[in-house]
């Protein structure tokens, strides 16, 4: 790096330090400047954390490329300016937060900025699940909402999720407009931040949310399922226990080591039920108490994971399996309206919807899209996200999903059946929809860009010995979908194999979603169908890895 560039970098860092309102990040940055750590400064000042449809998410630390109070204050000021430009002066903004490092500080800063801008602000009473914030927006008639959370990201991360007044997450062009307003913020001194003036909400909003959770259950339905539950060191425990108690289910047995909020997430490498090892303590607890099912939330409790007993121990159900089970249960309960899912989720939902005579729609990845489906009754995506009460929470909700899973498991238990039995029924009726994922976590984001470029430059002509019958570059959009950074392949043959490749929107991962559909005539065909399905998926993974250079 040239001397002039180094001097510019240090000048920018000192200017940032001069207005940093957080003693911790200020001390961190001062130490880096004093040490002459040019690489450390370049890493933090090489750009700015980009505000997009996922809001903000990144590692906590000093500088514009990290999550910190300075970045959050600017983001809040940009959101406030956007709301004022939309004619929402005096409107209410509800702020929620989880139990991660700095979350309470970021929530308070947001409330102060909204108040200083001439909006009204209300903050949830304590760290609570994201679905409570999503519910509160519509319940309180707010014009927007902010949830401070990094969901299931590593402990060092935090994030900033923005909702509009309809209770759903932002999409374009709102994200672009807010980002432009953030860029216009000059100095922190130009952002009014009063010490008071916002409302600290009480328990009434949570009570209203809990009262609403009862709406997902059928009055008088069986409630006998025995559950082991883990909050994954997040904020779900108290709300889940309250919801299960109100509904009349037996009290879930807690995974004690993971029950209380802890931003260090000491028992897991990644606080995500999908990650290897994350469910080990839950399965150990289940081995001691022999429940009917295991349920897990991610740290902000908007996702729900389910595990079932097998002859070889406990098995995590895939998100697509839970998605199909909940759809079948809702059909059985007489649900009408539209069932929706993202393009990376199993096509089984479409077949269930068609057989039941209910509407079906496919969207881009993310609940910001699913929630906007007209007439939505149920939405899900394979990453453990389920919206079972769109009139209450226009987003994924791991608490109401857990209740609905518990009701289904209770009904099946009364019949001497299990969730696995119902999955077998669905496979016999619609074909075995076998899904898997090739997910590559990277340190260098250029690896993802290079893999996508390689696949675009030379699309595979066959995968697993099956000819690629269509290759779509989703950046061009389709007849039913707006543009997105992704690739979709359909393979020839009776297995209806499908592959979608896309960068993760929230983590440094390249994700490849695979599906094959194996015909099943009756129960004896299930086991060989599963073996055959996995063989094809494994072969697709191998060939796709080679084609992408990963």
């Amino acid at each position: 790096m040239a001397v002039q560039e180094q001097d510019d970098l240090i000048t920018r860092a000192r200017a940032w330090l001069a207005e940093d309102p957080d003693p911790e990040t200020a001390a961190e940055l001062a130490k880096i400047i004093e040490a002459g750590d040019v690489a450390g400064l370049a890493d933090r000042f090489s750009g700015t954390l980009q505000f997009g449809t996922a809001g903000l998410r990144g590692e906590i630390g000093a500088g514009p490329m990290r999550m910190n109070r300075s970045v959050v204050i600017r983001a809040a000021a940009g959101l406030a300016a956007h709301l004022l430009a939309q004619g929402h002066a005096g409107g209410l903004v509800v702020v929620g937060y989880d139990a991660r490092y700095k979350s309470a500080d970021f929530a308070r800063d947001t409330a102060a900025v909204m108040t200083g801008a001439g909006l009204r602000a209300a903050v949830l009473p304590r760290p609570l699940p994201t679905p409570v914030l999503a519910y509160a927006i519509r319940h309180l008639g707010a014009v927007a909402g902010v949830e401070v959370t990094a969901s299931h990201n590593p402990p060092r991360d935090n994030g900033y999720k923005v909702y509009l007044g309809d209770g759903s997450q932002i999409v374009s062009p709102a994200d672009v407009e807010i980002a432009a307003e953030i860029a216009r913020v000059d100095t922190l001194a130009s952002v009014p931040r009063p010490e008071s003036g916002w409302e600290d909400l009480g328990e009434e909003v949570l009570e209203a949310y809990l009262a609403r959770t009862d709406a997902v259950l059928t009055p008088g339905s069986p409630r006998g399922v025995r559950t082991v539950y883990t909050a994954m060191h997040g904020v779900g425990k108290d709300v889940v226990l309250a919801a299960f108690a109100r509904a009349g289910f037996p009290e879930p047995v807690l995974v004690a080591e993971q029950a209380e909020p802890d931003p260090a997430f000491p028992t897991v490498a990644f606080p995500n039920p999908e990650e290897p090892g994350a469910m080990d303590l839950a399965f150990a607890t289940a081995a001691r108490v022999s429940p009917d099912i295991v349920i897990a939330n991610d740290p902000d409790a908007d996702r729900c994971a389910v595990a079932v007993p097998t002859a070889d121990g406990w098995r995590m159900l895939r998100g697509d399996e839970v998605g199909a089970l909940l759809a079948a249960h809702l059909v059985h309960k007489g649900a009408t309206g539209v069932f929706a899912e993202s393009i990376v989720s199993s096509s089984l939902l479409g077949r269930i919807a068609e057989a039941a005579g209910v509407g079906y729609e496919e969207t881009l990845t993310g609940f910001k899209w699913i929630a906007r489906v007209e007439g939505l009754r149920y939405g899900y995506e394979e990453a453990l996200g389920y919206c079972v009460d769109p009139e209450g929470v226009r987003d994924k909700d791991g608490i109401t999903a857990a209740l609905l899973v518990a009701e289904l498991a209770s009904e099946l238990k009364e019949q001497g059946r299990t969730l696995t039995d119902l999955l077998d029924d669905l496979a016999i009726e619609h074909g075995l929809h076998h899904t898997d994922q090739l997910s590559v976590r990277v340190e260098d984001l250029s690896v993802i860009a290079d893999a996508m470029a390689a696949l675009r430059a030379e699309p595979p002509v066959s995968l697993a010995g099956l000819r690629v019958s269509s290759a779509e570059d989703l950046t061009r959009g389709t007849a039913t979908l707006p543009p997105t950074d992704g690739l979709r392949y359909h393979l020839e043959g009776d297995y209806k194999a499908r592959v979608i490749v896309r960068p993760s929107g929230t983590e440094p991962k390249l994700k490849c979603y695979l599906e094959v559909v194996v015909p099943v005539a009756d129960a004896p065909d299930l086991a060989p169908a599963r073996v055959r399905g996995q063989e094809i998926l494994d072969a697709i993974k191998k060939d796709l890895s080679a084609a992408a250079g990963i």
Side-chain angles (χ1 to χ4, degrees):
M1 184 181 292
V3 173
Q4 182 61 49
E5 289 178 304
Q6 289 189 28
D7 290 344
D8 289 346
L9 192 60
I10 293 171
T11 298
R12 280 190 286 135
R14 284 177 173 154
W16 185 277
L17 175 61
E19 61 175 13
D20 191 334
D22 187 331
E24 289 185 24
T25 50
E28 173 195 328
L29 184 53
K31 186 176 179 180
I32 294 170
I33 294 172
E34 184 180 343
D37 182 358
V38 175
L41 290 176
D43 186 39
R44 289 161 174 78
F45 287 86
S46 59
T48 58
L49 210 57
Q50 292 300 301
F51 187 93
T53 52
L56 293 168
R57 198 174 289 189
E59 184 177 348
I60 294 172
M65 287 295 290
R66 297 287 191 272
M67 281 296 296
N68 51 64
R69 291 183 61 196
S70 298
V71 164
V72 165
I73 289 166
R74 285 178 165 82
L79 173 59
H82 172 74
L83 294 173
L84 294 175
Q86 296 296 312
H88 293 309
L92 176 66
V93 179
V94 189
V95 185
Y97 59 102
D98 67 10
R100 284 179 177 264
Y101 296 119
K102 305 286 184 185
S103 285
D105 293 337
F106 296 166
R108 187 180 186 281
D109 283 332
T110 300
V113 171
M114 297 302 159
T115 303
L119 294 151
R120 293 181 295 124
V123 183
L124 293 182
R126 62 179 184 280
L128 286 169
T130 294
V132 178
L133 181 276
Y135 168 81
I137 294 166
R138 299 174 79 188
H139 177 67
L140 297 174
V143 299
V146 171
E147 177 71 13
V148 180
T149 181
S151 190
H152 56 276
N153 273 39
R156 64 181 182 274
D157 289 0
N158 212 328
Y160 199 80
K161 186 183 292 188
V162 177
Y163 296 77
L164 296 180
D166 62 356
S168 59
Q169 298 174 48
I170 56 168
V171 295
S172 291
D175 59 332
V176 176
E177 293 166 357
I178 294 169
E181 295 288 2
I182 293 171
R184 292 190 185 101
V185 177
D186 185 13
T187 64
L188 293 193
S190 69
V191 181
R193 302 197 312 277
E195 291 294 319
S196 62
W198 57 89
E199 180 183 2
D200 290 313
L201 295 168
E203 298 298 310
E204 298 82 6
V205 171
L206 177 58
E207 283 302 314
Y209 168 81
L210 286 168
R212 178 78 200 187
T213 61
D214 296 345
V216 306
L217 303 175
T218 301
S221 63
R223 309 284 166 93
V225 73
R226 294 175 299 109
T227 305
V228 159
Y229 170 75
T230 177
M232 205 66 69
H233 297 297
V235 296
K237 181 199 73 173
D238 291 345
V239 182
V240 165
L241 291 181
F244 270 61
R246 288 178 64 98
F249 288 104
E251 182 176 350
V253 176
L254 299 177
V255 179
E257 302 93 330
Q258 298 174 334
E260 299 302 326
D262 187 337
F265 302 105
T267 68
V268 290
F270 293 96
N272 178 355
E274 294 179 294
E275 292 284 349
M279 294 292 289
D280 287 355
L281 287 171
F283 294 160
T285 302
R288 292 196 302 271
V289 303
S290 300
D292 299 304
I293 57 174
V294 172
I295 289 177
N297 286 141
D298 67 338
D300 68 327
D302 63 351
R303 288 174 169 82
C304 176
V306 181
V308 295
T310 72
D312 300 319
W314 286 84
R315 178 176 83 85
M316 274 277 290
L317 296 182
R318 292 189 174 278
D320 284 319
E321 291 177 307
V322 177
L325 287 169
L326 289 176
H329 186 44
L330 288 168
V331 166
H332 177 68
K333 287 157 68 80
T336 58
V338 178
F339 285 15
E341 65 179 339
S342 62
I343 58 172
V344 300
S345 303
S346 172
S347 59
L348 177 56
L349 182 67
R351 290 177 171 82
I352 292 171
E354 182 181 12
V358 301
Y360 170 74
E361 192 163 327
E362 193 177 58
T363 76
L364 293 183
T365 307
F367 266 83
K368 57 184 175 285
W369 300 109
I370 293 172
R372 285 178 161 74
V373 168
E374 185 144 356
L376 181 68
R377 175 58 185 87
Y378 168 62
Y380 100 91
E381 65 180 2
E382 56 76 42
L384 309 182
Y386 314 95
C387 175
V388 300
D389 178 26
E391 293 306 308
V393 175
R394 205 90 179 159
D395 196 8
K396 56 186 176 292
D397 183 345
I399 292 153
T400 49
L403 287 173
L404 205 59
V405 167
E407 181 184 56
L408 172 58
S410 296
E411 289 187 1
L412 292 168
K413 184 178 180 179
E414 283 206 348
Q415 301 164 16
R417 285 161 44 81
T418 66
L419 296 177
T420 306
D421 293 328
L422 180 53
L423 286 172
D424 289 348
D425 292 348
L426 293 172
I428 293 168
E429 182 177 359
H430 302 292
L432 177 66
H433 288 63
H434 206 60
T435 60
D436 205 348
Q437 190 178 130
L438 172 62
S439 181
V440 182
R441 184 181 292 273
V442 301
E443 293 292 331
D444 181 359
L445 291 177
S446 68
V447 173
I448 295 175
D450 291 346
M452 296 295 288
L455 290 170
R456 286 191 169 103
E458 195 171 345
V461 295
S462 70
L463 295 168
L466 302 171
R467 186 177 67 85
V468 176
S469 56
S470 71
E472 298 171 277
D473 187 341
L474 298 177
T475 55
R476 302 188 180 101
T478 72
T480 57
L481 298 170
T484 189
D485 186 8
L487 301 164
R488 178 164 61 180
Y489 308 111
H490 289 280
L491 312 185
E492 69 176 3
D494 296 335
Y495 293 118
K496 302 181 179 68
R498 183 202 69 189
V499 176
I500 295 174
V501 184
R502 60 179 284 273
S504 170
T506 57
E507 298 179 272
K509 283 183 177 182
L510 180 68
K511 290 188 169 184
C512 309
Y513 305 85
L514 323 174
E515 180 179 55
V516 298
V517 183
V518 185
V520 177
D522 50 36
D525 292 338
L526 284 166
R530 289 193 176 96
V531 172
R532 180 58 181 148
Q534 193 59 53
E535 286 173 350
I536 298 170
L537 292 181
D538 288 344
I540 290 174
K541 282 185 187 180
K542 181 179 178 181
D543 291 349
L544 188 63
S545 294
I550 55 175

